[in-house]
Amino acid sequence: MATIKIPEQKVILCGEYGVGKSSIFRRFTNNTFITATDRKSTLGLDHFEKTYCACDKDIKLQLWDTGGMERVASITSSYYKFAEAAVLVFALDNPASFHVLSQHLLDIVTYAENAKIFLCGNKSDLIEDVPQVTDSEIEAFCEQCHNLISGTYKTSCRTGEGLEEMFNDIANQLVNSNRSRLELQSMEQHGFKITQNEELTEDSCLC
Amino acid sequence: MDEEYDAIVLGTGLKECILSGMLSVSGKKVLHVDRNKYYGGRVGVNLSSGRAFGAPPPDDSYGRKRDWNVDLIPKFLMANGSLVKLLIHTGVTRYLEFKSVEGSYVYKGGKISKVPVDQKEALASDLMGMFEKRRFRNFLIYVQDFSGDDPKTWKDFDPNTQNMQALYEKFGLDKNTQDFTGHALALHRDDDYLNRPAVETINRIKLYSDSLARYGKSPYLYPMYGLGELPQGFARLSAIYGGTYMLDKPIDEIVLGEGGKVVGVRSGNEVAKCKQVYCDPTYVSDRVRKKGKVIRCICLMDHPVPNTKDALSTQIIIPQKQVGRNSDIYVSLVSYTHQVAAKGWFIAMVSTTVETDNPETEIKPGLDLLGPIRQKFVSVSDYYEPTDDGLESQIFISQSYDATTHFETTCLDVLDIFKRGTGEEFDFSKIKHELGDEEQ
């Protein structure tokens, strides 16, 4: 137990089908973008870890994609478990994806009650003169949520604009709000993940 | 829904979700449907469902409803068992966190004792007299050194032809010791094993002690937030490999074609075409037969089980002979520490295979061990098995869950169905472990 572990924070992406959750995920993992022509519903994306440095502390953001389960059925509640942060994603050119967010918000507060919640308007490159979702609407939404929203961002996965800033800010906020808890956590005995059987050093107890 | 699939899986119980995950990983196009709005079939519920049992609505002492995740069919995982292997090889462990079960006990003469598994414990156990302890210790050493591939370790005993009774006699173990060895260590459900080759039981005891060696206190593991997390994990695996999920979709008919072979599944006016169907017995009542009944009693308590050193999780096995029965009674306990109950609460379950017309009195020895119980939910369910192997119809049906409190039989059923359905053993190497780098 002498090793210093960088704290790992689970961050989940939530939002309607097609708003670009997986595009955010791809930008996060390897900074690529896939254009609309060959875009399809998500297959094969799971989760990915990246280390950020916030306030002189290293923190590992572990970003989770929905795995495409929202296509037809609902997402399993286990997706939300242990999440420290949730990013509510909507598309700035799609008002419907914005108005449905209250539903996703409800899921988050039910299944991941400790998660900090962030709001992300994606596809900012598609906004022309008249925005489909206005700043005042976004503000009104945050107010209605009794300030549950810890931060709002506008991003574009096509250009990559705003994404690095968003994740840096999330990392910062998690470090600040969790500082004391993280230290406590490292002392407290928690559950464990099962890993590949390490070679047993001695032939167990019967000798 | 109107598409063609390689396989349609009906029901999101654990077995079906494992199968769905395995099939998707093997490159099959899978549609997974459940008639309910939620995942998990009969595995887990929250507290408000207690009304289905005719219980009064919970009062404030039960805390918040959403803190409860009560398993309807509680089971533990053997730390070195086949479900853990499946979880590791499919990578589903990423989605789960586990806790070790704190105690493993066996019932003898009205009280419970810790199950002894190594030589130190054997010598300290209050289950046996002084001379019996030495014989039992020798037996444990034999089992530990035993290797199926190396006849030298068999010590003038052929485990493949000689039965377990003969091995017990070779070590001079008395009935009592045989009882807890066969039922609490080898986890046999009845005494039929005595007449079968000894190798089976030896391997089961090895599984128990290898599992114990992995995490310490007991050979059992239990997932945080309850067993409902397991099917969800496999469902995510399936979705990640392209499986399509539909909940809240009633199934009206399994459509058969020429020669009684399945060609699709109908829901209302929609038909999804497929080559195979995998399902639990509730979707095909005409293709299963009743094999027996299982009684399960879920008990909510505000204290741990007495005489278990206040363990927050326990398994107790009551061997059949101790209470004059033909099948064992199983008691399991989990608690708030696993995020399945509100702070300070414990959930115990007593289960067994029904043998009489009055199943509730059958589980009394188990209930008597628990101390005061705040709320009891009793259910008796039929245990079904498929009437055929599904090769002709290409409809593969899982068995109902048995009374055991571990997953070994569950996994055997799943692996067997997979083999029948695909004609091959499941190839664990097909799964690449690092998902997320899909572009490489």
Side-chain angles (χ1 to χ4, degrees):
Chain A
M1 291 294 124
T3 53
I4 299 167
K5 221 177 106 197
I6 301 175
E8 220 173 62
Q9 307 278 296
K10 177 172 172 179
V11 180
I12 54 175
L13 292 166
C14 303
E16 280 305 279
Y17 167 71
V19 296
K21 293 183 296 301
S22 301
S23 295
I24 293 177
F25 187 84
R26 283 201 188 85
R27 278 285 180 200
F28 181 82
T29 50
N30 44 24
N31 208 10
T32 54
F33 181 72
I34 296 175
T35 50
T37 43
D38 55 359
R39 191 203 69 193
K40 43 180 195 238
S41 182
T42 304
L43 296 183
L45 296 183
D46 194 28
H47 68 282
F48 190 82
E49 281 169 11
K50 216 159 130 181
T51 307
Y52 283 80
C53 182
C55 321
D56 308 326
K57 285 198 120 171
D58 278 341
I59 182 167
K60 219 184 239 172
L61 292 193
Q62 186 184 63
L63 189 69
W64 288 66
D65 192 43
T66 57
M69 274 193 141
E70 77 281 16
R71 257 170 297 166
V72 203
S74 55
I75 293 171
T76 58
S77 61
S78 62
Y79 177 65
Y80 300 92
K81 301 274 163 66
F82 308 107
E84 302 288 343
V87 185
L88 273 173
V89 188
F90 67 98
L92 285 160
D93 67 332
N94 177 357
S97 73
F98 176 69
H99 295 302
V100 80
L101 284 182
S102 52
Q103 189 53 47
H104 293 282
L105 189 71
L106 195 67
D107 285 343
I108 296 170
V109 293
T110 313
Y111 297 120
E113 44 184 319
N114 298 320
K116 281 177 110 47
I117 302 167
F118 301 88
L119 188 63
C120 170
N122 192 25
K123 308 195 186 179
S124 61
D125 53 287
L126 292 179
I127 305 181
E128 287 166 13
D129 305 335
V130 192
Q132 297 284 313
V133 180
T134 64
D135 288 352
S136 59
E137 277 178 296
I138 296 173
E139 266 167 44
F141 177 78
C142 293
E143 246 169 62
Q144 281 162 18
C145 305
H146 306 288
N147 303 317
L148 269 174
I149 310 285
S150 304
T152 58
Y153 314 92
K154 283 185 189 168
T155 59
S156 163
C157 288
R158 182 186 297 276
T159 63
E161 193 194 326
L163 284 159
E164 229 10 70
E165 291 83 344
M166 176 171 82
F167 286 116
N168 273 321
D169 191 43
I170 291 175
N172 261 318
Q173 294 215 29
L174 285 179
V175 166
N176 284 331
S177 71
N178 292 352
R179 184 158 294 192
S180 50
R181 200 159 56 87
L182 285 174
E183 274 150 23
L184 255 180
Q185 216 171 42
S186 54
M187 292 153 64
E188 202 179 308
Q189 215 205 345
H190 247 264
F192 53 84
K193 303 247 174 197
I194 299 176
T195 46
Q196 198 69 266
N197 209 350
E198 326 82 64
E199 280 306 307
L200 291 171
T201 38
E202 83 269 68
D203 46 29
S204 76
C205 353
L206 294 173
C207 37
Chain B
M1 187 170 181
D2 296 306
E3 273 186 68
E4 181 156 1
Y5 299 88
D6 291 320
I8 297 181
V9 183
L10 304 178
T12 50
L14 178 62
K15 288 183 185 178
E16 283 65 39
C17 284
I18 299 177
L19 280 166
S20 165
M22 287 162 75
L23 290 166
S24 295
V25 166
S26 310
K28 300 265 193 294
K29 189 177 174 190
V30 176
L31 174 68
H32 199 157
V33 187
D34 197 301
R35 59 166 93 88
N36 297 316
K37 274 199 193 81
Y38 48 86
Y39 291 90
R42 292 214 54 211
V43 181
V45 286
N46 63 29
L47 200 59
S48 49
S49 324
R51 286 192 207 139
F53 292 87
D59 60 47
D60 288 345
S61 66
Y62 290 90
R64 297 182 315 168
K65 235 195 260 177
R66 66 167 169 221
D67 287 337
W68 292 81
N69 293 294
V70 181
D71 299 322
L72 289 177
I73 305 179
K75 284 178 190 287
F76 292 139
L77 292 81
M78 297 287 285
N80 226 14
S82 34
L83 182 56
V84 168
K85 284 193 185 119
L86 259 172
L87 285 165
I88 289 172
H89 286 291
T90 53
V92 171
T93 46
R94 282 183 299 234
Y95 313 134
L96 304 164
E97 215 165 276
F98 290 87
K99 273 204 157 138
S100 206
V101 171
E102 291 176 24
S104 171
Y105 291 83
V106 62
Y107 176 99
K108 189 203 156 201
K111 60 189 192 79
I112 56 174
S113 308
K114 199 168 181 302
V115 176
V117 77
D118 62 34
Q119 59 161 321
K120 212 170 105 212
E121 283 184 349
L123 292 176
S125 175
D126 57 356
L127 282 166
M128 299 161 280
M130 211 170 66
F131 297 107
E132 183 69 6
K133 279 178 187 176
R134 294 198 61 82
R135 291 191 285 268
F136 181 61
R137 176 176 168 265
N138 291 339
F139 170 77
L140 283 180
I141 292 172
Y142 173 83
V143 169
Q144 192 58 35
D145 293 341
F146 178 89
S147 161
D149 310 325
D150 183 3
K152 275 204 295 284
T153 65
W154 300 357
K155 309 246 170 85
D156 306 321
F157 181 87
D158 188 348
N160 297 310
T161 55
Q162 290 181 272
N163 64 22
M164 195 58 205
Q165 186 66 49
L167 186 66
Y168 281 145
E169 278 158 19
K170 178 178 157 77
F171 284 90
L173 299 182
D174 67 24
K175 282 279 175 237
N176 210 332
T177 312
Q178 295 179 15
D179 227 25
F180 76 73
T181 306
H183 295 265
L185 288 179
L187 303 174
H188 285 294
R189 279 176 282 175
D190 48 44
D191 269 350
D192 293 350
Y193 77 94
L194 289 171
N195 300 316
R196 290 199 298 266
V199 62
E200 177 196 349
T201 302
I202 294 174
N203 283 330
R204 279 168 170 248
I205 299 172
K206 280 174 103 68
L207 170 65
Y208 188 99
S209 58
D210 290 349
S211 296
L212 187 78
R214 269 195 92 172
Y215 298 109
K217 298 174 201 153
S218 84
Y220 304 108
L221 304 178
Y222 185 80
M224 303 285 277
Y225 294 102
L227 298 178
E229 300 300 294
L230 292 169
Q232 293 187 31
F234 282 100
R236 183 174 165 92
L237 176 78
S238 178
I240 282 173
Y241 278 92
T244 302
Y245 274 77
M246 284 179 133
L247 299 184
D248 199 12
K249 193 94 186 157
I251 297 302
D252 297 312
E253 187 190 353
I254 294 177
V255 188
L256 300 179
E258 254 173 74
K261 195 172 165 300
V262 69
V263 292
V265 167
R266 183 172 68 82
S267 171
N269 297 323
E270 297 172 291
V271 175
K273 288 190 202 132
C274 67
K275 300 186 189 87
Q276 296 184 316
V277 163
Y278 294 81
C279 63
D280 70 48
T282 62
Y283 285 86
V284 279
S285 48
D286 55 332
R287 291 174 185 274
V288 292
R289 64 172 159 250
K290 209 164 110 178
K291 201 181 166 194
K293 278 184 180 174
V294 179
I295 178 168
R296 298 186 175 89
C297 177
I298 297 168
C299 308
L300 307 184
M301 318 196 296
D302 48 14
H303 59 84
V305 177
N307 310 316
T308 57
K309 297 191 179 122
D310 290 339
L312 298 177
S313 52
T314 328
Q315 151 137 304
I316 306 167
I317 291 179
I318 307 178
Q320 43 168 8
K321 287 223 190 81
Q322 292 292 332
V323 285
R325 295 171 47 80
N326 297 317
S327 43
D328 297 349
I329 301 174
Y330 301 93
V331 179
S332 67
L333 178 89
V334 291
S335 64
Y336 60 91
T337 184
H338 308 99
Q339 315 279 6
V340 294
K343 187 87 189 148
W345 283 91
F346 295 77
I347 305 168
M349 203 262 320
V350 182
S351 67
T352 192
T353 308
V354 175
E355 294 175 0
T356 66
D357 292 336
N358 196 350
E360 272 193 65
T361 52
E362 291 185 46
I363 55 170
K364 190 165 178 299
L367 294 175
D368 288 346
L369 295 174
L370 299 179
I373 296 164
R374 285 284 292 272
Q375 183 66 54
K376 230 164 58 175
F377 305 97
V378 181
S379 71
V380 178
S381 44
D382 292 332
Y383 177 89
Y384 292 102
E385 62 179 6
T387 49
D388 64 279
D389 58 12
L391 291 176
E392 228 162 86
S393 60
Q394 292 293 299
I395 300 173
F396 302 95
I397 305 158
S398 62
Q399 295 180 16
S400 304
Y401 296 88
D402 59 32
T404 56
T405 51
H406 55 84
F407 280 108
E408 295 312 299
T409 49
T410 307
C411 283
L412 288 179
D413 191 27
V414 166
L415 290 171
D416 186 54
I417 292 172
F418 184 85
K419 194 176 164 189
R420 272 184 276 142
T422 61
E424 54 194 69
E425 307 269 356
F426 182 61
D427 181 1
F428 288 111
S429 66
K430 268 192 186 148
I431 308 160
K432 59 174 188 289
H433 271 270
E434 288 311 313
L435 289 166
D437 331 315
E438 37 118 40
E439 258 117 42
Q440 289 169 11

